[in-house]
Amino acid sequence: WSTVFWIYTVIAFLSTINMDFVKTYEMRKIKSNIKRDTSDGNKAPYYSIMSNLTATLRIFRDDPKMKYMFGLNAIFGLSVAFINSYVNGEFVDIVLNEENDEFVGYLGALSAAVSAILSLLFGILDNKIGKGYILILGTFSYVGVILPFLVYPNAEDWGLFALVMVYVFQGVGRATYEGTLRATFAEFFFQDKEVAFANKNLQVGVSFAIGYVLPFLLRCNQPSKCCVSFSDGSLHDLLTFELLILFVIILAILGYWRASVLYEKEKLELLHRNK
């Protein structure tokens, strides 16, 4: 592990140094959807310290598209929390009869590899079929992550191939999140890109937190297919967690559709104003 930590340290150090070589482009004056905070008088309200600190929250309030995009970020955060807290932490060892976490690392690497490969493929397909179809495909892939645990909740019914497919589907969803979804945010929120990406990260962070806390809040009393015993002996209602994720998948798709409609409407209004 010391080798891994040193590699990460070197990468972090080099990344910090390379930030000094990032080109700073001249800012363009573009009309923003965020309502400016004038509470501090006439001292450049939008660029004041307080305004910058609260801009991440205000774009969620003032730009309706941001609310509808929440589901796409939430599904990624919740699914990652589910994989890390339950599948990696409890399920894999039971299925493979392993006392160490070696296969967890392999499966995680598989998911990352699938994500990297598909990110390149989706980048090519983006120009041919559009981002919307790719995002919907990636969102549906989370069904392949969660549904098998609903159909076959007992780890004894699983094998290596089923586990591999779960991580493959997770890789598909991760590819759309890290590539296509980021590009969509840059397109939908071109007037406030920096603030939009800050809010995007906030949404994912909140989803992570909820996803990691939920299994410990959803407790049950009697072991069953829906009430799973963790290695420490505690009982957790994973059925509710899994159903919640499936519900968020539906909301994410509907939310993206609504946000895309609002974006097209904004483009038409901007086109008419510039004529």
Side-chain angles (χ1 to χ4, degrees):
W1 281 108
S2 61
T3 303
V4 174
F5 292 146
W6 275 111
I7 292 174
Y8 286 175
T9 302
V10 172
I11 292 174
F13 177 77
L14 293 177
S15 300
T16 305
I17 297 298
N18 288 334
M19 286 299 295
D20 190 53
F21 298 95
V22 176
K23 179 176 177 59
T24 302
Y25 293 93
E26 183 179 355
M27 293 186 63
R28 294 180 299 170
K29 293 183 179 180
I30 302 177
K31 183 180 178 181
S32 171
N33 283 335
I34 303 178
K35 296 178 181 179
R36 298 186 176 187
D37 184 4
T38 57
S39 60
D40 55 348
N42 298 321
K43 300 179 181 179
Y46 183 68
Y47 295 104
S48 68
I49 295 177
M50 287 304 299
S51 181
N52 287 336
L53 288 175
T54 58
T56 301
L57 298 177
R58 284 185 289 115
I59 192 175
F60 191 85
R61 179 195 66 188
D62 300 334
D63 194 328
K65 298 191 303 298
M66 185 63 75
K67 301 178 182 67
Y68 292 113
M69 296 295 283
F70 184 85
L72 293 171
N73 292 305
I75 190 59
F76 176 74
L78 291 174
S79 67
V80 169
F82 177 81
I83 289 290
N84 288 339
S85 62
Y86 175 55
V87 183
N88 289 347
E90 306 288 337
F91 204 80
V92 173
D93 290 345
I94 298 175
V95 173
L96 301 179
N97 295 317
E98 290 289 329
E99 295 182 357
N100 55 57
D101 296 329
E102 180 179 356
F103 275 95
V104 171
Y106 292 146
L107 292 170
L110 171 64
S111 179
V114 171
S115 174
I117 294 171
L118 289 182
S119 293
L120 297 175
L121 178 61
F122 290 158
I124 298 173
L125 292 177
D126 180 6
N127 297 324
K128 297 182 178 180
I129 65 174
K131 298 181 182 67
Y133 291 108
I134 298 174
L135 281 177
I136 292 174
L137 171 65
T139 305
F140 266 120
S141 70
Y142 292 112
V143 175
V145 175
I146 302 301
L147 191 59
F149 294 95
L150 282 171
V151 179
Y152 300 104
N154 293 326
E156 292 78 9
D157 298 331
W158 284 61
L160 178 59
F161 177 77
L163 274 179
V164 166
M165 291 309 300
V166 166
Y167 283 85
V168 167
F169 281 122
Q170 180 70 13
V172 176
R174 179 176 173 180
T176 58
Y177 168 79
E178 295 182 343
T180 310
L181 182 58
R182 292 178 190 273
T184 302
F185 260 75
E187 181 180 358
F188 279 16
F189 305 98
F190 64 94
Q191 298 168 318
D192 302 292
K193 288 184 181 179
E194 295 84 356
V195 180
F197 274 95
N199 191 277
K200 177 181 180 299
N201 292 334
L202 176 63
Q203 292 178 19
V204 175
V206 170
S207 302
F208 276 140
I210 294 174
Y212 283 114
V213 169
L214 265 183
F216 298 95
L217 294 179
L218 299 172
R219 295 298 186 96
C220 45
N221 298 322
Q222 296 294 330
S224 65
K225 292 182 178 180
C226 303
C227 184
V228 179
S229 176
F230 279 22
S231 56
D232 61 356
S234 59
L235 297 175
H236 302 266
D237 177 16
L238 289 181
L239 175 63
T240 302
F241 190 14
E242 293 160 357
L243 291 176
L244 172 64
I245 295 177
L246 291 178
F247 178 68
V248 173
I249 290 173
I250 298 173
L251 290 183
I253 294 174
L254 295 176
Y256 170 74
W257 170 79
R258 180 57 181 164
S260 63
V261 170
L262 293 175
Y263 171 66
E264 293 298 329
K265 182 179 179 181
E266 284 183 1
K267 283 203 307 183
L268 289 176
E269 292 176 351
L270 185 61
L271 182 62
H272 290 311
R273 285 201 303 265
N274 292 336
K275 284 185 177 180

